[in-house]
Amino acid sequence: MFRYRNHQTGIVRDISKTIAQFGGSITHSKSMELEGLQFVYMASVYVGDREKANLLRMTLNDMRVNATWIPLDPLNSGAPGYKKHMLKVNGYQRSGLIYTLSEGLASKGVQINDMTQTTYPAEGRQMMISWEAELGIPADVDVEEVRAIVADMAQNEKKLSAEISE
């Protein structure tokens, strides 16, 4: 994960150029600006040579990029025995909404592999939420059981829509 204090034009270009110069490859990435104060760029970077990986880390640190390093094996990523599905939720935001969703999913052994959440103003002082998640549903769990949990929760919430797709 790379965290940069002030968002500036070209920071992603500079980081990705440096990664490429050391023979690295970005396999997954996400970025966001947090309230205009900090820029966060998360990336999974594969560098086949340990020495080059260490030099890359030092170079990025010299660029004042706060990097967190976790060794990963890209050939053994992903959870075997899980089916990937997408969950999309839209509706009014309330405290504990994501907890309620994730608790229901966990009750069936469902993993949340990736998620994105955005809130935005609605009428009055209400906030709306848009939440998307990539789910890992165990192979021995029928996706219809998970859909039923999500549908039941959506029915109990004020103006909430939720759907699971493949």
Side-chain angles (χ1 to χ4, degrees):
M1 176 172 68
F2 308 106
R3 179 174 53 104
Y4 205 78
R5 292 199 185 279
N6 297 312
H7 193 177
Q8 64 187 42
T9 301
I11 188 64
V12 172
R13 178 202 59 215
D14 295 346
I15 291 172
S16 59
K17 178 181 176 184
T18 303
I19 290 167
Q21 288 173 333
F22 285 91
S25 177
I26 299 170
T27 60
H28 298 85
S29 68
K30 284 194 180 240
S31 62
M32 72 177 83
E33 186 177 57
L34 301 174
E35 301 297 326
L37 301 174
Q38 289 199 346
F39 178 69
V40 178
Y41 178 63
M42 295 178 290
S44 174
V45 176
Y46 176 75
V47 180
D49 180 275
R50 185 180 298 268
E51 185 176 327
K52 284 184 180 180
N54 286 330
L55 289 171
L56 171 60
R57 183 184 60 212
M58 288 187 289
T59 302
L60 287 170
N61 286 333
D62 289 344
M63 292 170 58
R64 297 184 351 209
V65 174
N66 180 359
T68 301
W69 297 88
I70 303 168
L72 302 172
D73 182 354
L75 299 177
N76 291 319
S77 63
Y82 285 81
K83 303 169 284 191
K84 286 187 180 180
H85 291 273
M86 293 301 297
L87 170 62
K88 293 183 182 183
V89 176
N90 292 291
Y92 285 104
Q93 167 68 326
R94 70 158 176 84
S95 179
L97 180 63
I98 301 302
Y99 166 70
T100 303
L101 274 166
S102 60
E103 181 181 47
L105 295 170
S107 74
K108 290 294 182 183
V110 175
Q111 296 178 341
I112 299 172
N113 299 328
D114 188 17
M115 65 181 189
T116 302
Q117 173 184 325
T118 304
T119 57
Y120 51 94
E123 69 266 1
R125 298 183 53 86
Q126 292 278 328
M127 291 295 287
M128 300 295 288
I129 184 170
S130 175
W131 191 64
E132 293 186 19
E134 178 188 284
L135 306 178
I137 299 177
D140 62 344
V141 173
D142 186 351
V143 70
E144 294 308 319
E145 293 177 52
V146 179
R147 280 191 175 108
I149 289 172
V150 170
D152 185 53
M153 199 208 105
Q155 188 175 24
N156 292 328
E157 293 290 329
K158 180 181 177 185
K159 294 188 179 179
L160 186 74
S161 68
E163 67 178 61
I164 295 178
S165 61
E166 298 194 26

